[in-house]
Structures are given as C-alpha cells and as structure tokens.
Amino acid sequence: MDLVIIGAGAAGLAAAGAAARVGARVLVLEHKGAPGRKLLITGKGRCNVTNECPPDEFLKHVRRNPRFLYSSLAAWPPARLMRLFEDELGLPLKTERGRRVFPKSDRAADVLAALLRWAGDAQLETGVQVKSLLLEDGACRGVRLADGREVRAKAVLVATGGVSYPGTGSTGDGYRFARQAGHTVTPPEPSLVALVTKGDAARRMAGLSLRNVALTLWENGKARFCEQGEMLFTHFGVSGPLVLSASAHIRDAQCAACRLTIDLKPALDESTLRARVSSDFAAAANREAAHALDKLLPASMRPVMLDVWGVDAKKKINQITRAEREKLCALLKAFPLEVQGKGDLAHAVVTSGGVDVKQVDPKTMRSRLCPGLYFAGEVLDVDAYTGGYNLTIAFATGMAAGAAAAGT
C-alpha cells in the first residue's frame, strides 16, 4: 500500500479520501466492527460538523496549541468543508445558534455516509487490531497486526483518536504507537466534560436547565473563563455547553483551586437588579421569605438559594433588612459552586493531551522523528471548545495528512 491509516473516524476517513483521490493506494484499518462509531454520537446524534466562522476567529476557540493549526485550517477552513459536504458529497447543511453547522436531516449517520463516499476509493477493513508499527532503520514501513500479519506501506497515519468514549474505539492505542516511534505524549485528561461540585446544592437541583445565564470559572481568584449560554444541574454537579467549555480550562491538578459563579440575571446590571428585587418585595411585603424568590428563580432553585442566602423562610418579606437584600442581589449575580473534580475520561467529549505537536510538521502532519509516520485528529495535543471546532480539527488535519502522505 501507499498509505495505511489506523482508525476509521473523522480524521482517518478525511485522510483516506484526500489520499485516494490523488491516486494513492490506501488501506484503512478499524478495530471496531464498523467505522465512525464516535462520529455517530457527536452532537447528541446530530453531529455538529463544523462552526461557520473564519479561521482567525476559529483559532480563538482552540484551547491547546492553536498555532499548530494555522496551515491545515488555511487549507481547509469551515467554509471549504461545508462546500465539500454540500456540493461534492450531497449532504445539505444548516447553521444554528452559535454558528454551529449540522446536517439538515439532524442525522449523524448521514455525515458518516458522506465521509464514506469521500473515502470510497480507499480499502476499508473493520475488526482488525493493529499491534504495533513496523519500524525499520528508524522509519515507519507499515504495521503489524494482532493476528501476526504484516502490512507494508510507504506511509502510516495514526488517526486513532484519544481515550474518550472508549466504547467507540478510542482506547489510547495511538499514544502507544507514538511512543514506539520515539514521540513524547502529553498525559491525556478529560476535556469538554461535566464538573463535580462540592456539597448537595447541585444534587438538590438535578435536572434543572438554566438558559441565558453567565458562568465564570475562577482559579485562585482569577477569572479563567466567562461566557453566557446554557447549563444543567446533575446529581453530581453541573454539565451543559457552558460547563463543558469551562472544563477545557481546568487541568486535573488545578481542581482544588477552582470555583464557579453563575450570574442568574446577566441582562440586568446591579442597580436594575436592586430595583427589580425591591419591586418584587414590595408586591409581596406581607408574605414569608420563602416566597421572596417566586418571580426571580425556577421553583427547584428557590429552596437552595434560600439556604445559601441564610434568611429564615418564615421571616416576613417586609422585615428583610437592607443588608439581606444586598446579599440576595449579590447571590443572583454570582451564585457560588465549589469544584471538586472533573468527570472521567470515559465520558469526556474530547481528550486534552496527546502527541507533542512540536514533534509534528504542522503543514503535513508528518512526524519530525520518524520518516513515513503521520498523525491526525484527537491523538494530537490539540483541543477546542464545544461547537463543531474539534470535528473541524479532525477533518483539517486529516486532509493535510492524507494529501501529504499520498506524495510520500
């Protein structure tokens, strides 16, 4: 073969098509029984293909090593990917809030079918386990399979993904192959993952979804992330788009120094909020404090806020002091949650960490240490926020690697 690709996910299939369409003999090896298993569950089964923004803005949403992506994104920006899917592969797309791009059918299976059409000239074998790289004279000359066979090739591309959602095939094999070839691997950690919080506040509000709130992540008193959007309380902590993005800023060792605050009324400045609270209190002056939050917060959040506020539930609203009213306003603008830890790797949307990008050519994805070896997708130490960015990285690096490897 001219090129052997390990992994039939987004990066691997993108590379297969890019290489096969210029005449390379391409073999894609997938150890699961079918290709694109992780792709099928992205975007809750709808598959957020990309984000419709220009490359310079795209890079602002990349958390680790954004500069490494300059060349591949310049060649395959979101606009070009969208044209590929729509014009060449016949997949109608739509753009939703936050410029997130989905197939019009809302079916991830249709995205996978389009990628398989793109890679149609490549040979695909599923249920095949790669045991190791075939290294000779310091270069990669193919792969050894678990059944004892050797597949020789001019080039090998590792597109195995990270270690998130291992049931889909991302079991960390790519890191092992990289180390075999002498590469440094930044230890993988979960990213775009739910956060575990201290205390029982989140558990008491489990199932409550908040929209149009602003979440701030603090580390040692410094704001590391602040964005407005949606989040969800769970039985162990918090999740949802805002939380997933915030988690990308937290390394495992930093959790003890982190806390969250939620601005429950981001559309109101402090003086407007004070006037709103005063008006609500005046309208219910003779009721008990337990009802002071009726018009301010969702029902399941009121008893939790009342406990944090520290006001006796039976106290009359007209007896609430100015200091207590000020404290409530402060809590509405910054409801506190202490971070205990991150969710596990098995449930992370992506893996943070991976093959050190200083050892990979950013234009070709070729190893700087081992001739004939390439990397693409999540196996690299590059990750971004939720919103279609990580899939775009997989596509762009896959396209770059496939095109370059075809000319090896």
Side-chain angles (χ1 to χ4, degrees):
M1 309 303 295
D2 292 314
L3 173 62
V4 169
I5 298 173
I6 311 174
L13 293 175
R21 290 186 175 223
V22 294
R25 296 168 298 162
V26 182
L27 173 63
V28 184
L29 301 176
E30 169 58 49
H31 74 119
K32 301 298 288 187
R37 292 284 294 274
K38 187 176 180 181
L39 193 73
L40 292 174
I41 64 171
T42 61
K44 298 180 179 178
R46 297 173 61 217
C47 192
N48 185 181
V49 178
T50 187
N51 192 285
E52 195 175 5
C53 64
D56 57 342
E57 187 171 343
F58 184 104
L59 290 170
K60 295 176 183 178
H61 294 83
V62 179
R63 276 289 304 130
R64 291 182 63 81
N65 300 311
R67 295 180 63 183
F68 176 77
L69 299 172
Y70 281 173
S71 295
S72 58
L73 269 178
W76 283 95
R80 186 178 178 189
L81 285 170
M82 291 175 68
R83 288 197 302 271
L84 172 69
F85 278 109
E86 291 197 296
D87 300 340
E88 295 187 43
L89 303 178
L91 180 69
L93 302 174
K94 61 180 177 179
T95 302
E96 298 185 356
R97 183 176 52 82
R99 295 176 301 191
R100 301 175 185 224
V101 179
F102 293 88
K104 283 187 177 180
S105 65
D106 285 329
R107 284 170 41 87
D110 293 341
V111 178
L112 176 57
L115 281 174
L116 290 172
R117 290 194 293 275
W118 169 249
D121 291 332
Q123 180 182 341
L124 171 64
E125 291 188 24
T126 58
V128 178
Q129 181 73 46
V130 176
K131 182 179 181 181
S132 65
L133 301 178
L134 182 59
L135 302 179
E136 295 178 351
D137 300 323
C140 188
R141 304 300 185 191
V143 296
R144 290 190 178 90
L145 306 183
D147 62 10
R149 289 183 295 155
E150 289 186 355
V151 180
R152 303 189 73 84
K154 296 178 181 178
V156 172
L157 168 61
V158 177
T160 53
V163 288
S164 60
Y165 292 109
T168 65
S170 300
T171 53
D173 286 346
Y175 305 142
R176 179 166 54 85
F177 301 146
R179 292 189 182 100
Q180 182 191 354
H183 278 270
T184 301
V185 176
T186 302
E189 292 189 6
S191 187
L192 302 187
V193 68
L195 295 176
V196 181
T197 56
K198 297 178 182 179
D200 66 349
R203 179 186 57 77
R204 292 171 63 189
M205 296 182 285
L208 173 62
S209 178
L210 298 178
R211 295 186 177 185
N212 298 318
V213 297
L215 181 70
T216 302
L217 168 69
W218 303 85
E219 181 190 349
N220 291 321
K222 182 179 179 181
R224 302 288 293 173
F225 168 88
C226 184
E227 195 168 295
Q228 189 169 331
E230 301 177 15
M231 62 177 292
L232 172 72
F233 290 101
T234 71
H235 66 283
F236 58 81
V238 285
S239 187
L242 283 178
V243 175
L244 299 186
S245 292
S247 74
H249 292 262
I250 306 175
R251 303 298 287 176
D252 284 349
Q254 298 169 334
C255 287
C258 293
R259 65 186 183 90
L260 303 170
T261 57
I262 309 169
D263 184 345
L264 297 160
K265 303 293 179 183
L268 304 180
D269 59 28
E270 292 183 5
S271 61
T272 305
L273 179 60
R274 288 192 191 97
R276 163 74 186 277
V277 170
S278 296
S279 175
D280 286 356
F281 280 17
N286 294 316
R287 304 195 71 185
E288 295 180 340
H291 298 285
L293 307 174
D294 287 358
K295 294 183 179 181
L296 290 168
L297 295 173
S300 60
M301 193 174 197
R302 294 169 201 160
V304 178
M305 178 64 86
L306 195 64
D307 287 349
V308 177
W309 186 19
V311 171
D312 186 342
K314 294 183 178 181
K315 187 174 185 177
K316 294 293 185 181
I317 292 176
N318 59 15
Q319 295 176 342
I320 292 174
T321 66
R322 180 177 179 179
E324 289 170 335
R325 192 164 61 246
E326 287 293 314
K327 181 180 180 181
L328 175 61
C329 290
L331 288 170
L332 289 169
K333 296 297 287 183
F335 183 82
L337 291 167
E338 297 295 323
V339 176
Q340 181 172 310
K342 294 193 291 185
D344 59 24
L345 273 167
H347 296 94
V349 176
V350 296
T351 304
S352 179
V355 178
D356 187 344
V357 296
K358 293 190 295 293
Q359 300 170 347
V360 179
D361 186 302
K363 293 183 179 179
T364 63
M365 303 297 138
R366 182 186 292 118
S367 166
R368 296 186 188 273
L369 308 181
C370 181
L373 182 62
Y374 296 75
F375 298 95
E378 195 179 342
V379 72
L380 293 162
D381 186 14
V382 182
D383 64 271
Y385 294 140
T386 183
Y389 303 103
N390 289 291
L391 258 185
T392 303
I393 292 171
F395 293 141
T397 57
M399 295 292 189
T408 299

